[in-house]
Amino acid sequence: MTEGTVVETAVDRAEKVSLPVTGMTCAACARTIQVTLEDTRGVRQADVNFATGRATVVFDPSAVNLDGLVGAIRDVGYDVLDEPDTGDEEAVADAQEQAHRAEYRAARRKFLVAVVFALPIMVIGMAHLQVPGVNWVQLALALPVIFYSGAQFYRGAWAAVRHRNADMNTLIAVGTGVAFAYSVVVTVAPGTVMHPVHEGVMSHAPGVYYEVATAIIALVLLGRMLEARARGRTSEAIKRLIHLQPRTALVERGGVEVEIPAREVRRGDVVIVRPGERLPVDGEVIEGASAVDESMLTGESLPVDKAPGSAVYGGSVNSTGGFRFRATRVGRETTLQQIIRLVQEAQASRAPIARLADVISGYFTPIVIAIAILTFVIWFDVMPAGNRFTPALVSFVAVMIIACPCAMGLATPTAILVGTGRGAEKGILIRGGEILERAGHITTVVLDKTGTITSGRPEVTDLVPAPGIVPDDLLALAASAERASEHPLAQAIVRAAGERGIPLRPVSEFRALPGLGISAATSEGRLVIGNQGLMDREGIDTSPLAAEMDRLAQQARTVMWAGMNGRLVGLVGMADTPRPESAGALRRMKAMGLELVMITGDNAATANAIAGQVAPGGGIDRVVAGVLPERKAQEVKALQAEGRVVAMVGDGINDAPALAQADVGIAVGSGTDVAIEAADITLMRNDLNGVAEAIHLSRRTLRVIKQNLFWAFIYNVLGIPIAAGALYPFTGWLLNPMLAAAAMSFSSVSVLANSLRLRRG
């Protein structure tokens, strides 16, 4: 059966279905499918996303069924994936990935065919070879380019005409079609297009324009091939999220521990979790204690201590101890599945930005065709009866040739190719041209705190020894004891001792104390390191350093106490510290007129402390603390509702929904694979300056695209009246189609030269 997941059923019987569509090659394809679906009886709303290859349709099931929707899509030349109704999200993602790869291979094959056959035509045209049969050779070479490589443009143009629309497909089809058709006439019957220069003398055999038609098709196919390659990775984010859920779970049934598929865990089952295992579902701890890495949910690097009564989440990783928990949310109810759903919905609802070239061509193409027809009619009417067809046809072709969309078709892709290439040189990977265009309009940047503004791991920031203790001795004792622990705070202490070259001391009888800390035996006595609860249990008085403890708490430090033989040794302050470049990068973004918002799952005190360090004086406009993944996406959505164009910068799995919801998602290179796959832009270097660089590059590229479109349009506006014969009453001169082609080529060269300016700076 055709895969289509109904995700919502309303009271009025409206259903919402998401269909994976194949065969789309540009944003115009998505628009054609959307218009078709909206015109289908029973459809209330349709949203077709070219980037994700999905059509989201709200429909009345009493008026149209799923097969009817699929049939409407197939009627206009596209297809919908057929998948077994297994409910397996990974199978659907795999099928979409395979379809995208097939589309890319087809685009590459058509491009290679176009290049192989167009290059000889270009050589012949540039060399102006005038040997017998040369036009027939060019015709033979052009046929595969026109009827194989370029067939999709003509189908797209026909689909646009059927829906009373005009787009880039129309421009390409009209331009290449007229150039090819005229050239065929010149090749087969040159006498029909020769016109008298003066009485009794005919003009030379007119030129052919096979190189025009084939070059346009080859260049446009290059852009679409690269676009298809980028789109083929859109399912990776969902697949990586799905892989976070283990395939099996150990549950207790009938007093026996049995291993079952994770999808078969039922609400109320008792699940057993061993050290290092990933939790299969959400639940509540009923026995045992441990520290659980919930960074996939919160983005915070510190594990969370769990004891009976604590909530745990599927996809998180158990660190040290074992425990048992009762399943409370399973299947699609789990937090991980909700994150997956949020990413899918955010991707599906994000409409691609309308290309300026499509907007212009929507008006330009019908006007050009009308002018060309009018030109033919006028010349046919005013010229003498014996000499009316040839000048009318020549003027018609000249108008169509000079209005050929070569420069307009090159305006956007050339700037995008140069812009994305320049970005790659700077370590900024931009996923597709539409992202580059959209990033140029960003007004607000939302930055995740942990791992983005900060380094993402705790570091020792303060050593406060008790009276009579040397700081290095405090660090040596703490690091020696913590060497056997896998806790990130313990690793930070050991790392700090190594950086300072402090030798570690032998310890024995190491014990982890869940929820409290650790204990170990040294040559000097029994050492304990942990929280205030551990000090209270050991009867260690911490009042001598209470003021220091308060000071560090105000600075949002995590504090670990150290005691030996019942006496206080000191305290160690730790924090996730800002990246060295964060302050400068934020100042640069602020100077660009961007609004800055910091968002984090951490508490408000920590968030405000970090904001004060990296942007003193209120450089960060707003701080949002204590948020879960769905709240991050909601915050982004709220900013968008206020009219802002939002970029989300993050690195964690928990950032994936917000990255997908944002107009532009930016992942730092140190981030998780899921964050990088969900993002539109990836910074290969762990440097926030890349955010400002990406936005600056996007703005420059967008400016160049607008300049290209302006000049391409101006050439046509100035050239069309001349081609139509506006100068004939004054000079007796009609524009030869060859000169029209030269003018068109000049406009293309200017567009290319302007785009190449992006390589500088």
Side-chain angles (χ1 to χ4, degrees):
M1 117 178 224
T2 300
E3 189 276 334
T5 306
V6 176
V7 295
E8 178 182 343
T9 303
V11 176
D12 61 355
R13 301 264 310 150
E15 293 184 358
K16 185 177 180 182
V17 67
S18 179
L19 299 169
V21 181
T22 62
M24 292 191 290
T25 58
C26 65
C29 299
R31 187 163 56 252
T32 298
I33 297 171
Q34 182 167 321
V35 171
T36 301
L37 288 171
E38 289 172 342
D39 290 342
T40 302
R41 180 175 173 272
V43 173
R44 301 186 180 183
Q45 181 182 344
D47 183 13
V48 181
N49 191 314
F50 170 58
T52 60
R54 281 189 171 266
T56 304
V57 188
V58 178
F59 65 99
D60 181 356
S62 64
V64 63
N65 58 18
L66 190 59
D67 290 338
L69 299 176
V70 172
I73 294 173
R74 289 174 174 164
D75 283 345
V76 288
Y78 304 93
D79 204 358
V80 178
L81 285 179
D82 286 330
E83 285 299 319
D85 191 13
T86 61
D88 189 343
E89 293 281 1
E90 188 172 357
V92 175
D94 284 337
Q96 276 195 287
E97 183 179 12
Q98 291 172 8
H100 285 144
R101 287 178 178 173
E103 288 178 9
Y104 169 70
R105 288 194 297 268
R108 183 178 61 183
R109 185 167 57 250
K110 291 176 181 178
F111 168 69
L112 292 175
V113 168
V115 169
V116 167
F117 287 95
L119 278 177
I121 298 175
M122 295 295 293
V123 171
I124 292 172
M126 293 174 65
H128 301 291
L129 292 180
Q130 299 294 329
V131 297
V134 67
N135 288 352
W136 287 98
V137 172
Q138 292 184 76
L139 172 59
L141 291 170
L143 288 175
V145 181
I146 298 296
F147 292 104
Y148 173 69
S149 298
Q152 65 193 62
F153 302 125
Y154 303 106
R155 287 195 299 265
W158 174 243
V161 169
R162 286 173 55 194
H163 291 88
R164 301 188 266 309
N165 194 10
D167 53 28
M168 282 301 296
N169 281 326
T170 311
L171 279 175
I172 295 165
V174 170
T176 59
V178 168
F180 177 74
Y182 175 76
S183 300
V184 170
V185 172
V186 170
T187 302
V188 176
T192 61
V193 291
M194 294 174 66
H195 60 279
V197 177
H198 51 80
E199 187 175 354
V201 179
M202 298 296 290
S203 64
H204 295 291
V208 293
Y209 307 103
Y210 293 115
E211 74 276 12
V212 172
T214 55
I216 290 172
I217 289 174
L219 287 168
V220 175
L221 281 174
L222 172 62
R224 293 197 174 180
M225 179 186 70
L226 297 175
E227 206 165 295
R229 183 177 182 179
R231 287 200 310 122
R233 295 170 59 86
T234 55
S235 63
E236 284 298 312
I238 300 298
K239 288 176 62 179
R240 292 183 185 276
L241 281 169
I242 292 169
H243 289 160
L244 289 177
Q245 182 171 3
R247 292 190 174 275
T248 62
L250 188 63
V251 301
E252 183 181 280
R253 287 185 177 172
V256 179
E257 294 182 1
V258 294
E259 189 171 33
I260 62 173
R263 64 176 178 272
E264 295 181 8
V265 176
R266 299 192 297 262
R267 190 183 294 109
D269 278 345
V270 174
V271 183
I272 298 94
V273 183
R274 293 171 292 212
E277 290 186 338
R278 196 177 289 274
L279 280 63
V281 295
D282 296 359
E284 181 180 314
V285 177
I286 58 175
E287 181 184 337
S290 184
V292 176
D293 179 2
E294 294 181 347
S295 59
M296 53 73 59
L297 176 65
T298 65
E300 301 308 316
S301 55
L302 301 181
V304 180
D305 292 326
K306 300 295 182 181
S310 300
V312 291
Y313 304 96
S316 57
V317 181
N318 182 29
S319 297
T320 53
F323 62 91
R324 305 156 80 87
F325 71 92
R326 192 176 306 280
T328 57
R329 290 190 294 183
V330 300
R332 294 183 181 272
E333 301 172 349
T334 66
T335 303
L336 177 60
Q337 286 294 324
Q338 290 175 15
I339 293 175
I340 294 172
R341 177 177 54 81
L342 285 168
V343 174
Q344 288 174 326
E345 289 183 356
Q347 287 183 337
S349 65
R350 184 179 62 194
I353 188 170
R355 290 188 184 277
L356 292 174
D358 277 346
V359 174
I360 293 173
S361 66
Y363 298 98
F364 179 69
T365 304
I367 292 173
V368 168
I369 295 173
I371 291 173
I373 294 172
L374 183 62
T375 299
F376 181 89
V377 170
I378 291 174
W379 280 109
F380 193 82
D381 184 59
V382 301
M383 294 298 285
N387 184 33
R388 59 173 56 175
F389 181 78
T390 297
L393 180 61
V394 167
S395 297
F396 174 84
V397 172
V399 170
M400 297 305 297
I401 290 293
I402 206 166
C404 186
C406 192
M408 197 173 294
L410 288 171
T412 299
T414 54
I416 287 171
L417 285 172
V418 178
T420 51
R422 181 59 177 158
E425 291 174 4
K426 294 186 173 185
I428 303 167
L429 301 185
I430 302 170
R431 185 170 296 177
E434 293 188 30
I435 305 304
L436 195 66
E437 293 180 34
R438 195 182 306 128
H441 297 291
I442 290 170
T443 60
T444 302
V445 179
V446 179
L447 300 113
D448 177 55
K449 177 183 74 68
T450 304
T452 303
I453 294 177
T454 65
S455 62
R457 68 178 187 179
E459 302 288 348
V460 173
T461 57
D462 301 88
L463 290 170
V464 184
I469 304 294
V470 177
D472 281 1
D473 286 343
L474 169 61
L475 184 56
L477 285 170
S480 299
E482 295 284 13
R483 179 171 45 180
S485 174
E486 296 178 353
H487 198 286
L489 292 179
Q491 294 173 2
I493 293 173
V494 175
R495 191 165 55 246
E499 291 171 354
R500 300 187 187 197
I502 297 175
L504 302 185
R505 306 174 186 181
V507 298
S508 60
E509 300 178 19
F510 174 86
R511 287 181 58 203
L513 306 172
L516 296 172
I518 60 117
S519 70
T522 72
S523 59
E524 299 168 351
R526 183 169 175 270
L527 176 67
V528 291
I529 301 174
N531 57 25
Q532 183 67 50
L534 179 58
M535 297 300 106
D536 292 341
R537 195 187 81 166
E538 296 292 323
I540 297 175
D541 181 17
T542 59
S543 60
L545 298 180
E548 289 295 319
M549 168 67 181
D550 292 339
R551 178 181 67 82
L552 294 177
Q554 291 175 0
Q555 296 176 1
R557 301 287 196 258
T558 298
V559 175
M560 293 182 67
W561 295 96
M564 179 178 285
N565 299 329
R567 296 179 58 189
L568 184 65
V569 174
L571 59 84
V572 180
M574 284 173 285
D576 182 10
T577 56
R579 294 179 185 273
E581 79 284 351
S582 290
L586 294 177
R587 283 195 302 271
R588 183 178 176 188
M589 283 184 256
K590 199 67 181 174
M592 294 171 66
L594 297 167
E595 179 187 20
L596 302 181
V597 178
M598 187 175 82
I599 194 165
T600 178
D602 214 336
N603 60 68
T606 301
N608 288 322
I610 293 295
Q613 291 179 50
V614 296
I620 294 178
D621 299 279
R622 186 179 169 203
V623 176
V624 184
V627 296
L628 292 177
E630 59 264 26
R631 173 84 185 281
K632 288 187 179 183
Q634 288 168 5
E635 290 289 336
V636 171
K637 192 179 296 185
L639 289 168
Q640 291 170 322
E642 295 172 4
R644 294 174 171 86
V645 181
V646 181
M648 173 69 196
V649 186
D651 74 319
I653 294 168
N654 66 299
D655 299 322
L659 287 168
Q661 175 62 46
D663 296 285
V664 178
I666 304 176
V668 295
S670 61
T672 65
D673 289 341
V674 173
I676 291 172
E677 294 297 342
D680 301 305
I681 298 174
T682 299
L683 308 181
M684 299 306 292
R685 293 189 292 268
N686 298 330
D687 188 341
L688 269 185
N689 282 299
V691 177
E693 286 279 356
I695 295 173
H696 175 66
L697 177 62
S698 299
R699 289 178 176 178
R700 286 186 62 210
T701 305
L702 189 58
R703 187 162 58 246
V704 167
I705 290 172
K706 290 179 179 178
Q707 292 169 353
N708 287 349
L709 289 172
F710 172 78
W711 287 112
F713 188 67
I714 285 297
Y715 278 121
N716 286 319
V717 168
L718 295 178
I720 287 172
I722 297 174
L727 298 179
Y728 185 81
F730 311 103
T731 65
W733 179 68
L734 286 176
L735 181 65
N736 189 297
M738 182 67 74
L739 295 177
M744 182 204 66
S745 299
F746 179 70
S747 69
S748 300
V749 171
S750 68
V751 163
L752 285 166
N754 193 43
S755 296
L756 289 173
R757 292 191 304 112
L758 287 168
R759 293 188 60 84
R760 300 193 300 269

